[in-house]
Amino acid sequence: MNTAELTQDVVESRDGTEIGYWKTGQGPAVVVLHGSMESARSHTLLAEALADEFTVYLPDRRGRGLSGPHRLDHTVRTEVEDLEAVLTAAGAELAFGVSAGGAVVLEAARTLSSLQKVALYEPAIVDNPTPHREWLARFDREVAEGNLAGAMVTSMYGLQLAPAFLKVIPRGLMTRMTEKMLVKDERQAGPDAVTMRTLAPTIHHEGALIAELAGTFDAFRNVSADVLLMGGSKGLKALKPWRDTLEKVLPHCQRVEFDGLDHGASSDPGGTNPGGSAKVVGRVAAEVKAFFKQS
């Protein structure tokens, strides 16, 4: 999408922190909440695909791009308050979220009466909080030491993102490979891009968020909004069983599993989603659009 087609604005969350967003399109408002190692601009292709019938809002979650920093006592409630500020400014009753952003959108649907329909792509809701806390101390130490590549490797294993073939590669080699990836991303980034190196420290809060919501499936029995629950056959295996659980507990749930799509299917290509394409995003967008248009 051409930058000229996007307008920029900002709202204040409940604690006074600025939450910036991009906006495009026409029609009913939809707020799109990005996932981990992403920013608002990670879903410009999705916004473009929806913009002919919806006004799409792309907020930066805290610590990224247009938005203010995380607070010391940052929790899922903080994330919901940030989302609520954008929903209110937009007058939106519709929201889409991916991964950790999907978990926030689902929690918002549980606690906010304003949301009528939410679409989720591989929301990061799991059963056991312990594995998602154990790696945080090492991650924080590596970030403090300036070893962002090492911290990213720590988080990859901690969040169970590593494919089986990567687990046999020595950690030192994985760290060097990750550093080369960060350098390449910086070299290719535009002047206003939110780089992977800039995003890396935010992973701490993603792990804490996932741990906080872990095992809360029964709470979502109270979600009154209609939910579109999506995933890909090549997505994160660690999340697939819990989509099955969510489908059972959500009162108004439709389920779509995309053959051949991975965890980054809704996102623009590049960075952590090298296999993405407009065609792939279009498959997700078509289901989201049809769902939001249902009466």
Side-chain angles (χ1 to χ4, degrees):
M1 176 181 293
N2 189 300
T3 304
E5 296 175 313
L6 293 167
T7 58
Q8 179 183 327
D9 210 337
V10 64
V11 293
E12 279 194 5
S13 190
R14 189 169 300 185
D15 67 353
T17 299
E18 289 191 341
I19 304 298
Y21 61 85
W22 299 92
K23 174 183 173 183
T24 189
Q26 57 186 359
V30 176
V31 177
V32 173
L33 208 60
H34 63 78
S36 305
M37 288 300 291
E38 293 187 329
S39 70
R41 297 299 297 271
S42 297
H43 284 87
T44 55
L45 288 176
L46 181 70
E48 183 177 44
L50 299 176
D52 61 332
E53 297 190 62
F54 297 94
T55 304
V56 186
Y57 290 73
L58 301 169
D60 275 312
R61 291 169 60 210
R62 291 194 186 210
R64 305 153 173 93
L66 304 175
S67 293
H70 292 90
R71 48 197 277 181
L72 292 177
D73 59 345
H74 187 89
T75 65
V76 172
R77 184 64 213 168
T78 313
E79 299 263 2
V80 171
E81 289 174 355
D82 295 348
L83 174 59
E84 183 179 20
V86 181
L87 290 168
T88 300
E93 298 178 341
L94 312 172
F96 169 89
V98 57
S99 194
V104 173
V105 169
L106 184 55
E107 178 66 5
R110 186 183 72 82
T111 56
L112 303 178
S113 60
S114 59
L115 282 171
Q116 301 300 307
K117 289 176 178 285
V118 298
L120 313 172
Y121 192 89
E122 300 206 350
I125 307 286
V126 298
D127 67 329
N128 185 1
T130 302
H132 299 281
R133 293 193 177 110
E134 291 176 334
W135 56 273
L136 290 175
R138 177 170 182 166
F139 176 89
D140 291 343
R141 183 176 69 252
E142 288 168 332
V143 169
E145 294 169 349
N147 182 14
L148 292 181
M152 288 180 66
V153 173
T154 294
S155 68
M156 182 178 67
Y157 291 129
L159 292 170
Q160 302 175 6
L161 300 178
F165 74 91
L166 288 180
K167 294 179 181 179
V168 301
I169 298 177
R171 187 183 184 94
L173 178 57
M174 278 293 299
T175 300
R176 291 192 293 274
M177 292 168 58
T178 302
E179 177 61 30
K180 288 182 178 179
M181 179 180 66
L182 293 176
V183 170
K184 180 180 179 181
D185 177 66
E186 288 175 313
R187 189 166 57 243
Q188 296 177 341
D192 298 322
V194 181
T195 65
M196 293 173 66
R197 194 181 299 275
T198 302
L199 291 170
T202 67
I203 302 175
H204 169 98
H205 300 282
E206 304 298 85
L209 182 155
I210 293 169
E212 184 180 349
L213 285 177
T216 61
F217 295 103
D218 279 346
F220 297 115
R221 295 184 187 278
N222 297 324
V223 173
S224 60
D226 292 330
V227 178
L228 175 63
L229 185 59
M230 298 174 287
S233 64
K234 294 183 178 179
L236 295 182
K237 292 183 179 179
L239 295 180
K240 171 64 166 59
W242 312 120
R243 285 201 298 284
D244 297 340
T245 302
L246 283 172
E247 183 182 15
K248 294 174 183 176
V249 301
L250 288 166
H252 313 288
C253 182
Q254 301 177 37
R255 181 79 177 270
V256 175
E257 291 290 318
F258 296 95
D259 185 46
L261 298 195
D262 62 17
H263 190 62
S266 68
S267 306
D268 293 3
T272 55
N273 187 33
S277 70
K279 183 177 180 180
V280 169
V281 173
R283 290 179 63 187
V284 178
E287 291 289 346
V288 172
K289 182 180 287 189
F291 171 69
F292 284 153
K293 289 172 63 177
Q294 290 175 6
S295 59

